[in-house]
């Protein structure tokens, strides 16, 4: 699968999860420490807007953790459409300004894939739904994350927790979740 195809599928599945959120679920806890469902959705949308701005050659001036909107579903769809349009129009073989850095398009794509598959899993788990991603999608994203997510991004005050060891014989979803510092699904019984 091509990375752009995987991203398009992941974003569509995340949209379905966001569309399904009920008002009484907004304050449910998520696998992300300090993020309930509402705060995680805000983080997802504002981050998506930041990625879309970078990929489209514009500047994002908002705070990636403070998006507040009255229609998360619409705002998510608009930002996702903008990100996909930027990749389709300009490709990945270029430099993208993201945050304070100029990065290769391939690194930015890997980060977007990692971000939106991980947080899609977080939302599905928080809402008690089945994680919707295929093993093929998870495998592609896991490969990209393994190649780009170094120790400098893990630990106290950083975006990701330490790797949780998961046996290689475990399902790819569990291995991916462990790599992202999340508790594997097969370890969640009784949670």
């Amino acid at each position: 699968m091509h990375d752009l195809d995987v991203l398009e599928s992941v974003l569509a599945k995340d949209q379905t999860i966001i569309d399904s959120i009920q008002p009484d679920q907004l304050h449910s806890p998520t696998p992300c420490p300090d993020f309930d469902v509402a705060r995680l959705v805000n983080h997802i949308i504002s981050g998506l807007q930041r990625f879309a701005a970078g990929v489209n050659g514009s500047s994002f001036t908002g705070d990636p953790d403070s998006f507040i909107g009255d229609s998360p579903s619409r705002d998510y769809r608009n930002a996702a459409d903008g990100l996909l349009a930027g990749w389709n129009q300009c490709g990945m073989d270029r430099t993208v300004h993201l945050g304070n850095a100029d990065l290769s398009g391939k690194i930015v794509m890997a980060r977007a894939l990692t971000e939106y598959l991980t947080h899609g899993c977080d939302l599905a788990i928080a809402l008690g739904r089945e994680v919707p991603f295929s093993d093929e999608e998870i495998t592609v994203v896991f490969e990209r994350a393994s190649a780009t997510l170094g120790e400098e991004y893990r630990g106290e005050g950083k975006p990701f927790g330490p790797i949780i060891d998961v046996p290689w014989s475990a399902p790819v979803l569990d291995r991916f979740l462990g790599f992202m510092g999340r508790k594997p699904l097969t370890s969640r019984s009784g949670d």
Side-chain angles (χ1 to χ4, degrees):
M1 273 184 107
H2 187 273
D3 285 3
L4 185 56
D5 296 329
V6 175
L7 182 62
E8 186 171 3
S9 179
V10 165
L11 292 175
K13 290 173 181 177
D14 286 353
Q15 177 81 58
T16 300
I17 297 168
I18 289 171
D19 290 348
S20 75
I21 297 170
Q22 300 300 309
D24 64 343
Q25 296 174 311
L26 290 172
H27 298 293
S28 298
T30 72
C32 299
D34 304 322
F35 277 27
D36 63 8
V37 168
R39 187 162 179 220
L40 180 56
V41 169
N42 283 337
H43 170 78
I44 288 168
I45 293 170
S46 64
L48 193 53
Q49 291 172 335
R50 183 173 62 102
F51 274 108
V55 168
N56 284 288
S58 60
S59 297
F60 177 73
T61 57
D63 178 345
D65 289 320
S66 68
F67 171 82
I68 304 282
D70 62 356
S71 179
S73 181
R74 179 197 64 223
D75 295 332
Y76 176 90
R77 183 173 28 262
N78 289 341
D81 288 349
L83 177 59
L84 293 170
W87 286 124
N88 278 312
Q89 291 170 7
C90 302
M92 283 192 296
D93 293 327
R94 60 190 169 110
T95 299
V96 174
H97 185 77
L98 189 65
N100 298 341
D102 289 324
L103 304 167
S104 79
K106 290 180 182 180
I107 294 290
V108 174
M109 174 60 84
R111 288 185 179 179
L113 286 166
T114 302
E115 181 81 2
Y116 295 103
L117 189 123
T118 302
H119 287 323
C121 291
D122 292 335
L123 276 180
I125 292 165
L127 299 170
R129 293 188 175 70
E130 186 174 327
V131 172
F133 309 109
S134 71
D135 285 352
E136 185 177 11
E137 291 166 338
I138 296 165
T139 298
V140 168
V141 177
F142 195 0
E143 288 171 2
R144 303 308 176 266
S146 297
T148 60
L149 183 60
E151 284 302 313
E152 66 271 23
Y153 299 106
R154 297 182 182 279
E156 189 70 31
K158 300 199 177 165
F160 303 100
I163 294 172
I164 296 172
D165 288 328
V166 178
W168 190 250
S169 60
V172 68
L173 174 60
D174 283 349
R175 289 184 280 126
F176 175 75
L177 291 172
F179 180 78
M180 298 310 296
R182 268 82 166 155
K183 189 175 180 183
L185 289 181
T186 54
S187 302
R188 291 179 181 273
S189 58
D191 280 0

